[in-house]
Amino acid sequence: MLKTILSISGKPGLYKLISQGKNMLIVESLVDKKRFPAYGNEKIISLGDIAMYTDAEEVPLKDVLLSMKKKENGAAVALDVKKASVKELQAYLAEVLPNFDRDRVYVSDIKKLISWYNLLVASGMTDFEEASEAVAEETKEAPQNNYTPF
């Protein structure tokens, strides 16, 4: 599921991949369900290819989202990212991912993570377990780590 959810640089929110055309993707906004083309010159990244820095290694975003889902019992995060202090945001991420790298994971990354999680919950896309199993199957066939760190 996370492979078809995209982040487009310069555009707020998340987008679902609908179709592929020549030199473009057709995407649909998770917020207002509007469809539009996203071209190759835009930086487009799948949520399945993102990882978070920790002290030891990079943790795939799906694992962080699973941890957030477990902590919140499948509900949206109640923390208001616009009004929360730096310490509150870091404390929240420390509950979800205790060994995150405090030097390389910025406050803007934590805000983005929480807002993405809330968008996915609001859209009813919370099958992170299914996504992690599907990715694990693919990884068995072709072992490679091509995550984009956060």
Side-chain angles (χ1 to χ4, degrees), residues 90-150:
Q90 288 180 334
Y92 180 82
L93 187 58
E95 289 178 42
V96 176
L97 188 64
N99 61 340
F100 79 95
D101 189 336
R102 282 152 178 78
D103 293 330
R104 295 193 293 175
V105 176
Y106 301 113
V107 174
S108 60
D109 298 333
I110 301 170
K111 288 181 177 183
K112 191 182 298 185
L113 172 70
I114 293 171
S115 63
W116 283 357
Y117 174 79
N118 286 342
L119 265 174
L120 290 169
V121 168
S123 300
M125 298 181 179
T126 58
D127 293 335
F128 308 127
E129 295 95 352
E130 192 175 287
S132 86
E133 290 172 10
V135 171
E137 289 294 320
E138 291 174 14
T139 311
K140 285 181 187 174
E141 295 169 9
Q144 48 183 287
N145 183 2
N146 44 342
Y147 292 118
T148 302
F150 223 17

Side-chain angles (χ1 to χ4, degrees), residues 28-100:
E28 178 180 84
S29 170
L30 292 184
V31 177
D32 58 11
K33 306 294 184 210
K34 289 185 180 177
R35 292 182 179 188
F36 61 91
Y39 296 97
N41 61 350
E42 298 173 294
K43 185 175 179 188
I44 302 169
I45 189 158
S46 164
L47 294 192
D49 294 335
I50 296 175
M52 297 284 290
Y53 288 119
T54 64
D55 295 332
E57 60 185 15
E58 295 172 2
V59 175
L61 184 64
K62 64 180 169 35
D63 294 342
V64 179
L65 293 173
L66 276 170
S67 183
M68 290 176 74
K69 181 181 176 182
K70 194 178 298 180
K71 179 187 180 326
E72 301 295 334
N73 294 322
V77 176
L79 186 65
D80 184 2
V81 293
K82 292 182 181 175
K83 295 180 182 176
S85 70
V86 172
K87 292 204 183 277
E88 289 173 324
L89 292 167
Q90 288 180 334
Y92 180 82
L93 187 58
E95 289 178 42
V96 176
L97 188 64
N99 61 340
F100 79 95

